[in-house]
Amino acid sequence: MVVAMKNPLHKKLQAIKEVQIIRGIELPVGLEFRQLVVTGPPGAGKTYYINQIGGWPNEGYLDLTKEGWWRDQTLVYRPREIHLGLPYKGFKEPLTVFDQEWLDASPDALAIDFTRIRIPPQNQSLLRTNWKDRYIFEFVLPPPKQIYNQRTERQADGYFPVDDNLSLDMVIRQADAYGEIALYLHRAGLNVYIRKDIRQAPMLISEKGEIALPPWAVAEIKTRASLKTYSGWKQLILRQSAIPWFTITNELQELKRASRIPHDGKSFDVVIGRTHLRFAPEIPLGASKKYLRLHKNWIIRQPGSCNAKNIRGFARIQPEETVMLGRSNNDFDILFNFSKDVAKSHVLISNMKGDLLITPIDKMKPIKVVRLDDHDNREQIATNKISSMMQARSLLGSSIEMLERKEALDLLLEVNELLENESYRPLDSKGLPGGLLHLPDQQTPVIVGDLHAQVDNLLKVLTENCLLEALASNKAILCILGDAVHSENSNEMESMDASIMIMDMILTLKRSYPENIFYVRGNHDDFNPDLSKNGVPQCLLMKKALESTRGVAYVEAMQTFHDRLPYMIVSDSFIACHAGPPRNGTKKKQIINIRNNPLAAKELTSTRLKRPHYLSGYGKAEVKSLRKLFKVAKSTPVIVGHTPLDPFKTIWLNVGNIKNHHIVYSAHQQGPGLFVRIKGKMVSQSYPAEPLMKMITKLQQATS
């Protein structure tokens, strides 16, 4: 039986337009020949390809679970064909896709264990190797049917052990495994591209919603000086670009050629057409020097501070990324509403290790820059942040800590009364607020995923973008998609202090803004003794911790809180739940009467997306059915939490090749992700981590 699942890269590839010809093969223009590492499933044509371009003839093997694999002798000689050793759950040693253990295992037993894959460090100092940029991985991935035919034909030419018991099903599984790894390494920040045919242009992985491209895939920013000149050697040795520096002043100046802007801690403004954008270094409070050295991000936003009526969006450019400003960039157009005099492709902005490289594209459309103030951005950030922290302190208490026993019980009982008559929830058959929350579309929705006891992440969300002001003025609604409790950090999984504290905060928010704060039930919002994470019975530990610190009455009240929570949010702008949609055929009445439908309740809190070769879970059909059930537009986003796809991001867009189906995870140690509606569209945003709990406490000490 041939597996019919779509490959992991379906609708995630776009042709690289700027190419160079090396020995008759089209390669990305920014790629250096000796950076190239070629890999792919058996029979994909790697050996023929390596011979064609004159690469190293011997095959190599690379164990991706080995610490320091990027220093392996196998990679010294390049270009070279490499077979990958991949970690699988239940298998101690890594496997190649042609090992007998891999071939004998059923598809359900072959889940890649991404947590065991080692990722090269990113170094930016002069004397250290930046291993992430040392290699560019080319995955040779023709269509599985083509690979199958090639392997069938070569069987007539000789004995190839990897072709024993050949089947199309086997080939599809092998190609999908390489597709999964290519996508994972791309998300981890390695340089990866895909080649379906050596006679065609290579393809760049571009998940829908990504606004940045790696610099090696953009021709205009790879200008190099000749090594016959002093500037050429300076560029090579000091890694400095030959592109000239540009000095920004308080007068509006036009950029007529590619220019370099230093990362000096100060913001500046770019004017294209009638659109005015502010570029500011992203400098999180409390960030270490090492963090700032490796994360020289820039934030792009419209000038002017936020206010209670106007929650703004922003874009981020990380080191080694390029964005295009122009009307054809749909993501930016939603954020910044470009004026009509902005070209479709107006300007390229590249983050080169913190410095910005600005390259005009349309010579008929001017680009102007100006610095409206000369203050260090850190000073402005600190001033704005203190104001928002003062608001949080006023609402949540002078220091962020667990409430006293009686105060905590009184708060919980008060919130339980609110839930018994909660707004926007159709009543179930017993006359109580049902499992469905039907939000109005007037206020701006802000959707936060699993927080898993990351108190600082919740504080970060609250203290950004004037959210607390917007909640207080009834201009915004904050929706938390369950699982605020139970840390997923390995050294904190058994401690429940942060879980208790974050629930105190959420309950305080609910009491303060009952019609603007909503919490949806997740699978960890329970005292189920059978639920555990990595063998740790967190639900049971939470129950014991609450009994010890707050008594049996509090535990009973918390169980009531769990039982009264909604399970799904519906509005004209989005549909959201913790885990995923229920199975096809589920009725609206069943969701409203969720307490009488335990199967639907379990699906909404525990189901996961179908993966290649796995039969369980939900897919495109269930998402489509959900939109049809609530009679919303086909383009309405369906937003869920519960299943982070990798450790590198907080937001995943169009997951499972399902358009407008997104996952948000807000418990990342590097900071939270969320969705917010901007100009009628749900837009993803992410924030860097900040030690706000400590800072609010210090602020109290300084002002007392």
Side-chain angles (χ1 to χ4, degrees):
M1 176 182 176
V2 176
V3 179
M5 296 296 296
K6 289 181 178 177
N7 78 73
L9 299 173
H10 182 64
K11 293 186 178 180
K12 290 184 173 69
L13 300 177
Q14 64 180 38
I16 299 174
K17 297 178 181 179
E18 302 295 339
V19 295
Q20 57 187 325
I21 305 298
I22 297 180
R23 294 168 186 168
I25 302 295
E26 291 184 351
L27 291 166
V29 75
L31 173 146
E32 296 179 5
F33 191 56
R34 298 301 174 188
Q35 287 179 286
L36 190 59
V37 177
V38 178
T39 189
K46 302 182 297 297
T47 302
Y48 174 82
Y49 172 53
I50 287 291
N51 291 335
Q52 181 76 12
I53 62 176
W56 191 257
N58 298 324
E59 298 176 356
Y61 169 77
L62 204 58
D63 175 4
L64 294 183
T65 70
K66 179 182 175 182
E67 187 64 45
W69 58 256
W70 43 92
R71 298 185 182 90
D72 197 289
Q73 283 293 110
T74 300
L75 295 174
V76 170
Y77 305 100
R78 303 183 300 272
R80 188 176 191 177
E81 174 185 352
I82 297 294
H83 296 292
L84 299 180
L86 309 178
Y88 285 89
K89 295 178 181 178
F91 294 86
K92 184 177 180 181
E93 299 297 327
L95 302 175
T96 67
V97 297
F98 49 82
D99 282 338
Q100 198 58 48
E101 296 95 324
W102 194 96
L103 296 170
D104 289 343
S106 68
D108 287 351
L110 287 173
I112 297 176
D113 187 354
F114 293 105
T115 62
R116 290 163 56 193
I117 296 177
R118 305 274 73 84
I119 299 300
Q122 174 137 2
N123 294 312
Q124 294 190 352
S125 63
L126 176 62
L127 301 179
R128 292 187 178 182
T129 301
N130 187 345
W131 292 104
K132 280 193 174 182
D133 287 344
R134 189 178 184 92
Y135 311 114
I136 295 180
F137 286 84
E138 176 176 322
F139 281 73
V140 182
L141 286 172
K145 184 68 174 178
Q146 180 179 326
I147 298 176
Y148 175 75
N149 291 337
Q150 290 171 178
R151 292 176 67 176
T152 301
E153 291 174 6
R154 76 181 186 181
Q155 281 182 320
D157 299 329
Y159 175 61
F160 293 85
V162 296
D163 294 338
D164 285 348
N165 302 312
L166 181 66
S167 69
L168 180 57
D169 176 56
M170 174 203 296
V171 173
I172 292 173
R173 291 168 53 204
Q174 291 172 331
D176 284 354
Y178 269 86
E180 286 186 81
I181 290 298
L183 187 58
Y184 184 82
L185 295 181
H186 162 75
R187 289 170 173 169
L190 276 71
N191 298 309
V192 173
Y193 69 89
I194 309 296
R195 187 182 297 277
K196 291 186 174 182
D197 193 314
I198 65 170
R199 296 165 295 183
Q200 299 175 2
M203 310 287 283
L204 188 70
I205 298 177
S206 179
E207 296 186 83
K208 188 168 178 61
E210 288 185 341
I211 57 174
L213 300 176
W216 56 265
V218 184
E220 290 84 351
I221 66 172
K222 296 298 286 189
T223 304
R224 294 174 181 267
S226 169
L227 294 184
K228 295 180 180 180
T229 65
Y230 167 76
S231 62
W233 280 104
K234 181 179 178 182
Q235 179 183 348
L236 175 67
I237 296 172
L238 300 181
R239 300 182 181 180
Q240 292 181 352
S241 171
I243 295 175
W245 296 97
F246 188 88
T247 302
I248 303 177
T249 69
N250 59 1
E251 295 183 359
L252 205 60
Q253 301 177 79
E254 185 174 344
L255 283 178
K256 296 184 178 180
R257 60 173 180 167
S259 302
R260 198 175 182 106
I261 309 296
H263 187 283
D264 58 2
K266 299 177 181 179
S267 61
F268 66 94
D269 290 22
V270 172
V271 180
I272 53 175
R274 291 190 299 278
T275 299
H276 192 173
L277 300 175
R278 177 152 298 161
F279 286 67
E282 183 177 58
I283 307 175
L285 296 180
S288 66
K289 291 182 179 179
K290 181 179 179 181
Y291 176 90
L292 294 176
R293 188 170 64 250
L294 297 177
H295 299 83
K296 293 183 177 180
N297 303 330
W298 286 80
I299 294 296
I300 311 174
R301 65 172 78 241
Q302 291 175 315
S305 60
C306 64
N307 56 64
K309 295 182 179 180
N310 189 9
I311 294 181
R312 296 175 179 268
F314 62 88
R316 176 183 290 107
I317 314 180
Q318 301 182 55
E320 309 307 319
E321 289 184 339
T322 295
V323 299
M324 187 277 293
L325 299 184
R327 287 185 289 112
S328 63
N329 186 330
N330 292 329
D331 300 293
F332 274 23
D333 199 21
I334 291 170
L335 287 172
F336 306 129
N337 195 23
F338 290 128
S339 56
K340 292 183 179 179
D341 51 0
V342 173
K344 288 185 177 180
S345 299
H346 203 118
V347 59
L348 285 174
I349 311 285
S350 302
N351 185 337
M352 307 299 288
K353 300 180 181 178
D355 300 330
L356 287 186
L357 182 60
I358 302 181
T359 306
I361 299 175
D362 191 325
K363 295 181 180 179
M364 303 301 294
K365 299 286 186 178
I367 304 158
K368 297 179 180 180
V369 297
V370 65
R371 178 161 282 149
L372 297 179
D373 62 66
D374 204 38
H375 296 297
D376 191 300
N377 202 52
R378 283 164 284 200
E379 299 174 12
Q380 300 176 31
I381 290 172
T383 301
N384 297 335
K385 201 68 182 181
I386 287 173
S387 174
S388 61
M389 286 192 294
M390 293 283 282
Q391 286 181 285
R393 190 187 74 177
S394 175
L395 177 66
L396 300 172
S398 58
S399 60
I400 308 300
E401 55 188 15
M402 283 191 287
L403 299 176
E404 295 296 330
R405 181 168 177 157
K406 183 178 185 308
E407 183 183 4
L409 180 58
D410 290 344
L411 170 63
L412 180 55
L413 292 174
E414 190 173 342
V415 170
N416 282 346
E417 287 186 20
L418 292 173
L419 292 180
E420 197 170 16
N421 299 282
E422 192 168 34
S423 303
Y424 311 130
R425 291 174 64 180
L427 301 181
D428 63 15
S429 59
K430 296 180 181 179
L432 299 172
L436 182 65
L437 181 66
H438 205 303
L439 291 183
D441 227 34
Q442 289 77 21
Q443 296 96 334
T444 299
V446 177
I447 303 175
V448 173
D450 306 34
L451 284 161
H452 284 301
Q454 297 304 302
V455 174
D456 281 330
N457 282 7
L458 177 56
L459 289 171
K460 181 66 175 175
V461 171
L462 294 173
T463 55
E464 288 290 336
N465 229 338
C466 297
L467 178 57
L468 283 175
E469 292 180 18
L471 292 170
S473 62
N474 196 31
K475 298 298 182 183
I477 290 179
L478 176 63
C479 304
I480 301 173
L481 301 185
D483 281 13
V485 297
H486 304 162
S487 175
E488 295 199 324
N489 300 335
S490 58
N491 59 338
E492 301 172 355
M493 295 185 71
E494 296 186 19
S495 173
M496 294 296 132
D497 287 357
S499 293
I500 296 172
M501 196 183 308
I502 202 168
M503 286 310 302
D504 285 347
M505 293 168 60
I506 291 170
L507 294 171
T508 300
L509 289 167
K510 181 65 179 178
R511 179 176 63 184
S512 301
Y513 311 120
E515 296 189 357
N516 300 87
I517 302 289
F518 294 97
Y519 188 89
V520 172
R521 189 167 186 173
N523 61 313
H524 282 258
D525 297 305
D526 204 325
F527 293 132
N528 180 4
D530 296 328
L531 192 149
S532 66
K533 188 79 171 182
N534 293 348
V536 178
Q538 290 182 306
C539 289
L540 185 59
L541 291 177
M542 182 71 167
K543 182 178 181 180
K544 289 181 177 179
L546 290 175
E547 286 177 344
S548 173
T549 59
R550 293 180 173 175
V552 174
Y554 188 91
V555 172
E556 292 174 350
M558 182 57 75
Q559 183 61 60
T560 300
F561 171 78
H562 294 157
D563 293 340
R564 290 181 180 178
L565 289 172
Y567 284 69
M568 177 174 283
I569 307 174
V570 176
S571 79
D572 291 341
S573 300
F574 68 93
I575 301 174
C577 60
H578 173 68
R583 65 184 59 194
N584 291 338
T586 301
K587 306 296 184 184
K588 183 176 177 179
K589 273 189 175 182
Q590 290 176 297
I591 298 175
I592 294 173
N593 290 279
I594 197 73
R595 297 171 189 85
N596 298 328
N597 292 280
L599 179 58
K602 184 175 182 180
E603 289 172 334
L604 289 168
T605 57
S606 302
T607 189
R608 297 188 190 273
L609 183 71
K610 285 180 183 175
R611 291 178 294 168
H613 318 305
Y614 284 75
L615 300 179
S616 61
Y618 70 93
K620 182 179 289 187
E622 286 75 20
V623 173
K624 181 180 179 181
S625 176
L626 186 66
R627 293 187 179 117
K628 186 176 180 180
L629 174 64
F630 292 106
K631 299 178 181 179
V632 296
K634 294 179 180 179
S635 59
T636 302
V638 173
I639 301 171
V640 300
H642 188 54
T643 310
L645 298 186
D646 58 63
F648 313 112
K649 298 165 66 176
T650 63
I651 303 282
W652 297 267
L653 303 178
N654 302 288
V655 179
N657 298 316
I658 305 171
K659 193 173 182 180
N660 291 313
H661 164 249
H662 313 313
I663 292 176
V664 56
Y665 180 74
S666 303
H668 202 293
Q669 287 185 287
Q670 296 301 320
L674 55 81
F675 280 88
V676 59
R677 191 180 68 212
I678 297 173
K679 296 183 177 69
K681 302 286 186 180
M682 297 305 296
V683 175
S684 63
Q685 307 273 252
S686 60
Y687 297 121
E690 289 181 337
L692 293 176
M693 189 165 57
K694 292 180 180 178
M695 298 181 77
I696 290 174
T697 300
K698 286 183 178 180
L699 185 64
Q700 164 64 13
Q701 294 169 351
T703 56
S704 60

